[in-house]
Amino acid sequence: MATTSAPVLNGLSSSFLTGGKKNQALLGAPLAARVGGAAIPKRFIVVAAAAAKKSWLPGVRAGGNLVDPEWLDGSLPGDYGFDPLGLGKDPAFLKWYREAELIHGRWAMTAVVGIFVGQAWSGIPWFEAGADPGAIAPFSFGSLLGTQLLLMGWVESKRWVDFFDPDSQSVEWATPWSKTAENFANFTGEQGYPGGKFFDPLSLAGTLKDGVYIPDTEKLERLKVAEIKHARLAMLAMLIFYFEAGQGKTPLGALGL
């Protein structure tokens, strides 16, 4: 595995994609190494203890790595030992796959809500909404596509660089519209869960004290498990929606609504 994954990792960590040669070795680097060995600020809360290992087939004791993969230790939120293809054998790839699962899941949850609300509001199937003459479209398709590619490309490139070099984007030049980079800092010290007043405005995973965001470890761990479960359900739901759309059906139609 290490032999076959080396070229891919070299590509993932190239200076072109990571924003500089100094970031090339950061895929597997610990958090302390990323901040130059300095002490982690007090606002960072790093959960080091692994949760009790759970199984996706709790009643089965045999099965080897199919049921209980040795490379999954239960430390990731929602880790129930399901990895039949062995995608997480390489620790560096496991980090990337979890990031991808999290981002795709968040998009899927947003899409599922949008599909239900959009059709309930307009009566137009989600896969026909863009072509409907009555659709509200103040921009041409080309302008909309170009704007989306530009804005999404900018945001995704920042997320990509931040994956290899955490907190590298919470600086003034990376957030030109903000007078302070503090809004975009990672308050939890965990990849994919920045927290703070900007990314957690309702303080669901923390509290505000004298204007300072303080993460709550217990709340954060509970919400991470809830989020990944809902994210997986949403991704499965989107897959079903695609199959339904191929038959000209909609989610609301399938429910008889």
Side-chain angles (χ1 to χ4, degrees), residues 43-44 162 166-167 170 184-195:
R43 72 183 182 202
F44 288 89
D162 191 72
D167 265 357
S170 59
F184 299 90
N186 189 324
F187 284 81
T188 68
E190 299 187 49
Q191 190 71 36
Y193 305 96

Side-chain angles (χ1 to χ4, degrees), residues 78-132:
D79 176 9
Y80 295 97
F82 183 77
D83 188 13
L85 300 180
L87 300 177
K89 288 183 178 180
D90 188 304
F93 274 118
L94 180 59
K95 288 175 60 178
W96 178 253
Y97 285 137
R98 169 41 61 99
E99 174 82 359
E101 180 184 33
L102 193 59
I103 296 301
H104 282 79
R106 288 169 177 171
W107 277 115
M109 288 188 286
T110 304
V112 168
V113 174
I115 286 173
F116 276 107
V117 173
Q119 185 177 349
W121 178 268
S122 66
I124 304 171
W126 66 274
F127 49 85
E128 296 178 357
D132 188 89

Side-chain angles (χ1 to χ4, degrees), residues 26 37 60 62 68 73 88 114 120 134 137 146 157 161 173 190 210 237 242:
L26 287 173
V60 179
D68 185 19
D73 59 6
S157 65
V161 174
W173 63 264
E190 299 187 49
D210 298 328
Y242 285 127

Side-chain angles (χ1 to χ4, degrees), residues 15-214:
S15 59
F16 173 75
L17 294 175
T18 60
K21 293 183 178 180
K22 67 177 183 179
N23 301 329
Q24 293 182 2
L26 287 173
L27 245 181
L31 183 61
R34 296 172 191 158
V35 294
I40 300 173
K42 292 182 179 180
R43 72 183 182 202
F44 288 89
I45 297 179
V46 180
V47 180
K53 194 171 183 179
K54 299 180 181 180
S55 173
W56 64 285
L57 285 177
V60 179
R61 299 300 179 186
N65 284 330
L66 179 63
V67 177
D68 185 19
E70 59 186 16
W71 53 88
L72 296 179
D73 59 6
S75 60
L76 290 174
D79 176 9
Y80 295 97
F82 183 77
D83 188 13
L85 300 180
L87 300 177
K89 288 183 178 180
D90 188 304
F93 274 118
L94 180 59
K95 288 175 60 178
W96 178 253
Y97 285 137
R98 169 41 61 99
E99 174 82 359
E101 180 184 33
L102 193 59
I103 296 301
H104 282 79
R106 288 169 177 171
W107 277 115
M109 288 188 286
T110 304
V112 168
V113 174
I115 286 173
F116 276 107
V117 173
Q119 185 177 349
W121 178 268
S122 66
I124 304 171
W126 66 274
F127 49 85
E128 296 178 357
D132 188 89
I136 302 176
F139 306 102
S140 66
F141 177 76
S143 299
L144 186 62
L145 179 62
T147 303
Q148 182 171 347
L149 288 176
L150 179 64
L151 295 179
M152 286 300 298
W154 181 72
V155 172
E156 282 297 288
S157 65
K158 286 171 62 63
R159 185 179 68 84
W160 174 273
V161 174
D162 191 72
F163 176 81
F164 291 96
D165 191 0
D167 265 357
S168 64
Q169 300 304 291
S170 59
V171 292
E172 296 296 343
W173 63 264
T175 56
W177 63 84
S178 175
K179 294 182 180 180
T180 171
E182 187 72 15
N183 291 334
F184 299 90
N186 189 324
F187 284 81
T188 68
E190 299 187 49
Q191 190 71 36
Y193 305 96
K197 293 183 290 185
F198 187 85
F199 292 103
D200 185 16
L202 300 180
S203 298
L204 299 177
T207 57
L208 279 177
K209 186 175 181 180
D210 298 328
V212 179
Y213 181 87
I214 303 174

